Amino acid sequence: MNASPESLSDSPSGSTPDSTLHAFAAGLKAGITSAFIFVTIGTFIGIGALAHDFGFSLAWAVIGTVLIWAAPAQVILMTMMAGGAPLVEIAFATALSGVRLLPMVISTVPMLRGPRTRGYHLIFTAHFIAVAMWVEAWRLLPGVPRENRVVYLNGMGTSFCTVAAVSTVAGFFLAALLPTVLTAALLMLTPLAFLMSVTANARALADRLALPLGLVLGPVLAAYQVQFDLLWSGVIGGTLAYGAHRFRSARS
Amino acid sequence: MIMGELWPYLVMVLVGFLPNEVWRWLGLVLARGLDERSEIVVWVRAVATAILAGVIAKLTLFPPGALAGVPLSVRLASIVIGFVAFFLLRRSVLLGVAVGEVVLVAGALLVGL
């Protein structure tokens, strides 16, 4: 998968070995002009609005966006903190929601690694990897010279992260200022955007089954006030979906 | 109290940042060895997807703040019609969300919110 270098070279940094600054600028531009930037704006306006309505401070919400850089973990953190969940349960839930980052990082690193790549460079870059960044990295990196890819992705991540931080601030204030109907619309952004981006990314059978199972189990367990409701709906729904995957693999 | 003000940040780092970020660090470590299609990765991804689905459903059915004032029927219509639109409009997340939002606002105005 390290092959196919010139197939998608519509990126401005093309095939010439650019300077570091130029590669960073090209990455910045690729982030700003990505179709996913709109989804990012919508998602983080929703995060900011959610933080406001749950009673968190603006600074806390913005630091959360930059530091955690994973909307699902942020939503889980806010929902559970506001609900007074035990810290252990919150940690388990955010950890499980973050598992999806593991295969994304694993599959991106081979595209980034070059003879002069240092470990600490990749720790910074790996922090930027989230769903949208991962999709765009896979689309654009083949057109970027290998020695510039880390810097390029850092530029793209800086774009996405800055836009997300500004959107968090915007969402926070919009939730405070807007009429009730529009605040409600901002809060609805999160479930809508999540449902569709999860569906768009669920290609494997196990993921496609885990989605409806979680949609049903989550609220049912919550309605019966089961402790660790989200954790259980994840483990039960995910394991059932995985079982179906194993069953089909065994049959074929 | 300083501690009282810092407490939410400490909680964020301990149970929000670290449990999430550790997967990125682990990804760097495992990048050489593990296959993305190994069985354990398939299972953890399914569990993660089901948790996220649970969060989506809870945010829709038991919503916070202003969204709680919108009737359940309007919230459900928003997410169902938005989801159908997403499939009809070439699986565009952007357009699906836009349709869901229009339904929510229109529904909320119709019931006189």
Side-chain angles (χ1 to χ4, degrees), chain A residues 124-184:
Chain A
F124 187 67
T125 309
H127 176 68
F128 282 132
I129 293 181
V131 179
M133 278 284 293
W134 180 63
V135 173
E136 290 299 70
W138 268 82
R139 188 170 70 88
L140 295 170
L141 280 185
V144 179
R146 179 165 286 275
E147 63 269 26
N148 289 337
R149 286 181 183 173
V150 172
V151 179
Y152 181 87
L153 211 58
N154 287 345
M156 199 200 285
T158 304
S159 271
F160 270 105
C161 220
T162 307
V163 167
V166 172
S167 303
T168 306
V169 175
F172 191 92
F173 284 115
L174 286 173
L177 296 173
L178 288 176
T180 317
V181 172
L182 292 182
T183 309

Coordinates of all heavy atoms in Angstrom, one line a residue, chain A residues 124-184:
Chain A
F124 N 3.1 14.0 17.3 CA 2.3 15.2 17.0 C 1.3 15.0 15.9 O 0.1 15.3 16.0 CB 3.3 16.3 16.6 CG 2.7 17.7 16.4 CD1 2.1 18.4 17.5 CD2 2.6 18.3 15.2 CE1 1.6 19.6 17.4 CE2 2.1 19.6 15.1 CZ 1.5 20.2 16.2
T125 N 1.7 14.4 14.8 CA 0.9 14.1 13.6 C -0.2 13.1 14.0 O -1.4 13.3 13.6 CB 1.7 13.5 12.5 OG1 2.8 14.4 12.3 CG2 0.9 13.5 11.2
A126 N 0.1 12.1 14.8 CA -0.9 11.1 15.2 C -2.0 11.7 16.0 O -3.2 11.3 15.9 CB -0.3 10.0 16.0
H127 N -1.7 12.8 16.7 CA -2.8 13.5 17.5 C -3.9 14.0 16.6 O -5.0 14.1 16.9 CB -2.2 14.6 18.3 CG -3.2 15.4 19.1 ND1 -4.0 14.8 20.1 CD2 -3.7 16.6 18.9 CE1 -4.8 15.7 20.6 NE2 -4.7 16.8 19.9
F128 N -3.5 14.5 15.4 CA -4.4 15.1 14.4 C -5.3 14.1 13.8 O -6.4 14.4 13.2 CB -3.7 15.8 13.3 CG -3.1 17.2 13.7 CD1 -1.8 17.5 13.4 CD2 -3.9 18.1 14.4 CE1 -1.3 18.8 13.8 CE2 -3.4 19.3 14.7 CZ -2.1 19.7 14.4
I129 N -5.0 12.8 13.8 CA -5.7 11.8 13.1 C -7.1 11.5 13.7 O -7.2 11.2 14.9 CB -4.9 10.5 12.9 CG1 -3.7 10.8 12.0 CG2 -5.8 9.4 12.3 CD1 -2.8 9.6 11.7
A130 N -8.1 11.8 13.0 CA -9.5 11.6 13.3 C -10.2 11.2 12.0 O -9.5 11.2 11.0 CB -10.1 12.8 14.0
V131 N -11.5 10.9 12.1 CA -12.2 10.4 10.9 C -11.9 11.2 9.6 O -11.4 10.7 8.6 CB -13.7 10.2 11.1 CG1 -14.4 9.7 9.9 CG2 -14.0 9.3 12.3
A132 N -12.2 12.5 9.7 CA -12.1 13.3 8.5 C -10.7 13.4 8.0 O -10.4 13.3 6.8 CB -12.6 14.7 8.7
M133 N -9.7 13.6 8.9 CA -8.3 13.7 8.6 C -7.8 12.4 7.9 O -7.0 12.4 7.0 CB -7.5 14.0 9.8 CG -7.4 15.4 10.2 SD -6.3 16.3 9.2 CE -4.7 15.6 9.6
W134 N -8.3 11.3 8.4 CA -7.9 10.0 7.9 C -8.3 9.8 6.5 O -7.5 9.4 5.6 CB -8.5 8.9 8.9 CG -8.1 7.5 8.5 CD1 -6.9 6.9 8.5 CD2 -9.0 6.5 8.1 NE1 -7.0 5.6 8.1 CE2 -8.3 5.3 7.9 CE3 -10.4 6.4 8.0 CZ2 -8.9 4.1 7.6 CZ3 -11.0 5.2 7.6 CH2 -10.2 4.1 7.4
V135 N -9.6 10.1 6.2 CA -10.1 10.0 4.9 C -9.3 10.9 3.9 O -8.9 10.5 2.8 CB -11.6 10.4 4.9 CG1 -12.2 10.4 3.4 CG2 -12.4 9.4 5.7
E136 N -9.1 12.1 4.3 CA -8.4 13.1 3.4 C -6.9 12.7 3.3 O -6.3 12.9 2.2 CB -8.5 14.5 4.0 CG -9.9 15.1 3.9 CD -10.4 15.2 2.5 OE1 -10.6 14.1 1.8 OE2 -10.4 16.3 1.9
A137 N -6.3 12.1 4.3 CA -4.9 11.7 4.2 C -4.8 10.6 3.1 O -3.9 10.6 2.3 CB -4.4 11.2 5.6
W138 N -5.7 9.7 3.2 CA -5.7 8.6 2.2 C -5.9 9.1 0.8 O -5.4 8.5 -0.2 CB -6.7 7.5 2.6 CG -6.1 6.5 3.5 CD1 -5.9 6.6 4.8 CD2 -5.5 5.3 3.1 NE1 -5.2 5.5 5.3 CE2 -5.0 4.6 4.2 CE3 -5.4 4.6 1.8 CZ2 -4.3 3.4 4.2 CZ3 -4.8 3.4 1.8 CH2 -4.2 2.8 3.0
R139 N -6.7 10.1 0.6 CA -7.0 10.7 -0.7 C -5.8 11.5 -1.2 O -5.4 11.3 -2.4 CB -8.2 11.5 -0.6 CG -8.8 12.0 -2.0 CD -10.1 12.7 -1.8 NE -10.0 14.0 -1.2 CZ -9.8 15.1 -1.9 NH1 -9.7 15.1 -3.1 NH2 -9.8 16.2 -1.2
L140 N -5.2 12.3 -0.4 CA -4.2 13.3 -0.8 C -2.8 12.9 -0.7 O -1.9 13.3 -1.5 CB -4.5 14.6 -0.1 CG -5.8 15.3 -0.4 CD1 -6.1 16.4 0.5 CD2 -5.9 15.7 -1.9
L141 N -2.4 12.1 0.3 CA -1.0 11.9 0.6 C -0.2 11.2 -0.6 O 0.9 11.5 -0.8 CB -0.8 11.0 1.8 CG -0.9 11.8 3.2 CD1 -0.6 10.8 4.3 CD2 0.1 13.0 3.2
P142 N -0.9 10.3 -1.4 CA -0.1 9.7 -2.5 C 0.4 10.8 -3.5 O 1.4 10.5 -4.1 CB -1.2 8.8 -3.2 CG -2.1 8.5 -2.1 CD -2.2 9.7 -1.2
G143 N -0.2 12.0 -3.6 CA 0.3 13.0 -4.5 C 1.3 13.9 -3.8 O 1.8 14.8 -4.5
V144 N 1.7 13.6 -2.6 CA 2.7 14.5 -1.9 C 4.0 13.7 -1.8 O 4.0 12.5 -1.5 CB 2.2 14.8 -0.5 CG1 3.2 15.7 0.3 CG2 0.8 15.5 -0.5
P145 N 5.1 14.4 -2.1 CA 6.4 13.7 -2.0 C 6.6 13.2 -0.6 O 6.3 13.8 0.4 CB 7.4 14.8 -2.3 CG 6.7 15.8 -3.0 CD 5.3 15.8 -2.6
R146 N 7.1 11.9 -0.5 CA 7.2 11.3 0.8 C 7.9 12.1 1.9 O 7.4 12.1 3.1 CB 8.0 9.9 0.6 CG 8.1 9.1 1.9 CD 8.5 7.7 1.6 NE 7.4 6.9 1.1 CZ 6.5 6.3 1.8 NH1 6.6 6.4 3.1 NH2 5.5 5.6 1.3
E147 N 9.0 12.8 1.6 CA 9.7 13.6 2.6 C 8.9 14.7 3.1 O 9.2 15.3 4.2 CB 11.0 14.0 2.1 CG 11.0 15.0 0.9 CD 11.0 14.3 -0.5 OE1 10.6 13.2 -0.5 OE2 11.4 14.9 -1.4
N148 N 7.8 15.1 2.4 CA 7.0 16.3 2.9 C 5.7 15.9 3.5 O 4.9 16.7 4.0 CB 6.7 17.2 1.7 CG 7.9 17.9 1.2 OD1 8.8 18.1 1.9 ND2 7.8 18.3 -0.1
R149 N 5.4 14.6 3.6 CA 4.1 14.1 4.0 C 3.8 14.5 5.5 O 2.6 14.9 5.8 CB 3.9 12.6 3.8 CG 3.8 12.3 2.3 CD 3.6 10.8 2.1 NE 3.5 10.6 0.6 CZ 3.5 9.4 0.1 NH1 3.5 8.3 0.9 NH2 3.4 9.2 -1.2
V150 N 4.7 14.3 6.4 CA 4.5 14.6 7.8 C 4.1 16.1 8.0 O 3.1 16.4 8.6 CB 5.7 14.2 8.7 CG1 5.5 14.7 10.1 CG2 5.9 12.7 8.7
V151 N 4.9 17.0 7.3 CA 4.7 18.4 7.4 C 3.3 18.8 6.8 O 2.6 19.6 7.3 CB 5.8 19.2 6.7 CG1 5.6 20.7 6.8 CG2 7.2 18.8 7.4
Y152 N 3.1 18.1 5.6 CA 1.8 18.4 4.9 C 0.6 18.0 5.8 O -0.3 18.8 5.9 CB 1.8 17.5 3.6 CG 0.6 17.7 2.8 CD1 0.5 18.7 1.8 CD2 -0.5 16.8 2.9 CE1 -0.6 18.8 1.0 CE2 -1.6 16.9 2.1 CZ -1.6 17.9 1.1 OH -2.7 18.0 0.3
L153 N 0.7 16.9 6.4 CA -0.4 16.4 7.3 C -0.6 17.3 8.5 O -1.7 17.6 9.0 CB -0.3 14.9 7.7 CG -1.5 14.2 7.9 CD1 -2.4 14.2 6.6 CD2 -1.3 12.7 8.3
N154 N 0.6 17.8 9.1 CA 0.5 18.7 10.2 C -0.2 20.0 9.8 O -0.9 20.6 10.5 CB 2.0 19.0 10.7 CG 2.6 17.9 11.4 OD1 1.9 17.0 11.9 ND2 3.9 17.9 11.6
G155 N 0.1 20.4 8.5 CA -0.6 21.6 8.0 C -2.1 21.4 7.9 O -2.9 22.2 8.4
M156 N -2.5 20.2 7.4 CA -3.9 19.9 7.2 C -4.6 19.8 8.6 O -5.7 20.4 8.8 CB -4.0 18.6 6.5 CG -5.4 18.4 5.8 SD -5.7 16.7 5.5 CE -4.7 16.5 4.0
G157 N -3.9 19.2 9.5 CA -4.4 19.0 10.9 C -4.6 20.4 11.6 O -5.6 20.6 12.3
T158 N -3.6 21.3 11.3 CA -3.7 22.6 11.9 C -5.0 23.3 11.4 O -5.7 24.0 12.2 CB -2.5 23.4 11.6 OG1 -1.3 22.7 12.1 CG2 -2.5 24.8 12.3
S159 N -5.2 23.2 10.1 CA -6.4 23.8 9.5 C -7.7 23.3 10.2 O -8.5 24.0 10.7 CB -6.5 23.5 8.0 OG -5.9 24.4 7.3
F160 N -7.8 21.9 10.2 CA -9.0 21.3 10.7 C -9.2 21.7 12.2 O -10.3 22.0 12.7 CB -8.9 19.8 10.6 CG -9.5 19.2 9.3 CD1 -8.6 18.8 8.3 CD2 -10.9 19.2 9.1 CE1 -9.2 18.3 7.1 CE2 -11.4 18.7 8.0 CZ -10.5 18.2 6.9
C161 N -8.1 21.7 13.0 CA -8.2 21.9 14.4 C -8.5 23.4 14.7 O -9.3 23.6 15.6 CB -6.8 21.5 15.1 SG -7.0 20.7 16.6
T162 N -7.9 24.3 13.9 CA -8.2 25.7 14.1 C -9.7 26.0 13.8 O -10.4 26.7 14.6 CB -7.3 26.6 13.2 OG1 -6.0 26.2 13.5 CG2 -7.5 28.0 13.5
V163 N -10.2 25.5 12.7 CA -11.6 25.7 12.3 C -12.5 25.1 13.4 O -13.5 25.7 13.7 CB -11.8 25.0 10.9 CG1 -13.3 24.9 10.6 CG2 -11.1 25.8 9.8
A164 N -12.1 23.9 13.9 CA -12.9 23.3 14.9 C -13.0 24.1 16.2 O -14.0 24.2 16.8 CB -12.4 21.9 15.2
A165 N -11.8 24.7 16.6 CA -11.8 25.5 17.8 C -12.7 26.7 17.6 O -13.4 27.1 18.5 CB -10.3 25.9 18.1
V166 N -12.5 27.4 16.5 CA -13.4 28.6 16.2 C -14.8 28.2 16.2 O -15.7 28.9 16.7 CB -12.9 29.3 14.9 CG1 -13.9 30.4 14.5 CG2 -11.5 29.8 15.0
S167 N -15.2 27.1 15.6 CA -16.5 26.6 15.5 C -17.1 26.3 16.9 O -18.3 26.5 17.2 CB -16.7 25.3 14.7 OG -16.2 25.6 13.4
T168 N -16.2 25.8 17.8 CA -16.6 25.5 19.2 C -17.0 26.8 19.9 O -18.1 26.9 20.6 CB -15.5 24.8 20.0 OG1 -15.1 23.7 19.3 CG2 -16.0 24.4 21.4
V169 N -16.2 27.8 19.7 CA -16.5 29.2 20.3 C -17.8 29.7 19.7 O -18.7 30.1 20.4 CB -15.4 30.2 20.0 CG1 -15.8 31.6 20.5 CG2 -14.1 29.7 20.6
A170 N -18.0 29.6 18.4 CA -19.2 30.1 17.7 C -20.4 29.3 18.3 O -21.4 30.0 18.6 CB -19.1 29.9 16.2
G171 N -20.3 28.0 18.4 CA -21.5 27.2 18.8 C -21.9 27.6 20.3 O -23.0 27.7 20.6
F172 N -20.8 27.8 21.1 CA -21.0 28.2 22.5 C -21.9 29.5 22.6 O -22.8 29.6 23.3 CB -19.7 28.3 23.2 CG -19.8 28.4 24.7 CD1 -19.7 27.3 25.5 CD2 -19.9 29.7 25.3 CE1 -19.8 27.4 26.9 CE2 -20.0 29.8 26.7 CZ -19.9 28.6 27.5
F173 N -21.4 30.5 21.8 CA -22.1 31.8 21.9 C -23.4 31.8 21.2 O -24.4 32.4 21.7 CB -21.2 32.9 21.4 CG -20.1 33.3 22.3 CD1 -18.8 33.1 22.0 CD2 -20.4 33.8 23.5 CE1 -17.8 33.5 22.9 CE2 -19.4 34.2 24.4 CZ -18.1 34.0 24.1
L174 N -23.5 31.0 20.1 CA -24.8 30.9 19.4 C -25.8 30.3 20.3 O -27.0 30.7 20.3 CB -24.6 30.1 18.1 CG -23.9 30.8 17.0 CD1 -23.6 29.9 15.8 CD2 -24.7 32.0 16.5
A175 N -25.4 29.3 21.1 CA -26.4 28.6 22.0 C -26.9 29.6 23.0 O -28.0 29.5 23.5 CB -25.7 27.4 22.6
A176 N -26.0 30.6 23.4 CA -26.5 31.5 24.4 C -27.3 32.6 23.8 O -28.2 33.2 24.5 CB -25.2 32.2 25.0
L177 N -27.1 33.0 22.5 CA -27.7 34.2 21.9 C -29.0 33.9 21.1 O -29.9 34.7 21.0 CB -26.7 34.9 21.0 CG -25.5 35.5 21.7 CD1 -24.5 36.1 20.7 CD2 -25.9 36.6 22.7
L178 N -29.0 32.7 20.5 CA -30.0 32.4 19.5 C -31.4 32.1 20.2 O -31.4 31.7 21.3 CB -29.6 31.2 18.7 CG -28.5 31.4 17.7 CD1 -28.2 30.1 17.0 CD2 -28.9 32.5 16.6
P179 N -32.5 32.3 19.4 CA -33.8 31.9 19.9 C -33.8 30.4 20.1 O -33.0 29.6 19.5 CB -34.8 32.3 18.8 CG -33.9 32.6 17.6 CD -32.6 33.0 18.1
T180 N -34.7 29.9 21.0 CA -34.7 28.5 21.4 C -34.7 27.5 20.2 O -34.0 26.5 20.2 CB -36.0 28.2 22.2 OG1 -36.1 29.3 23.1 CG2 -35.9 26.9 23.0
V181 N -35.5 27.8 19.2 CA -35.6 26.9 18.1 C -34.3 26.7 17.4 O -33.9 25.5 17.1 CB -36.6 27.5 17.0 CG1 -36.6 26.6 15.8 CG2 -38.0 27.5 17.6
L182 N -33.5 27.8 17.2 CA -32.2 27.6 16.5 C -31.2 26.9 17.5 O -30.3 26.2 17.0 CB -31.7 29.0 16.0 CG -32.6 29.5 14.9 CD1 -32.0 30.9 14.4 CD2 -32.7 28.5 13.7
T183 N -31.2 27.2 18.8 CA -30.4 26.5 19.7 C -30.6 25.0 19.6 O -29.7 24.2 19.6 CB -30.6 27.0 21.1 OG1 -30.5 28.4 21.1 CG2 -29.5 26.4 22.1
A184 N -31.9 24.6 19.6 CA -32.3 23.2 19.5 C -31.7 22.6 18.2 O -31.2 21.5 18.2 CB -33.8 23.1 19.5

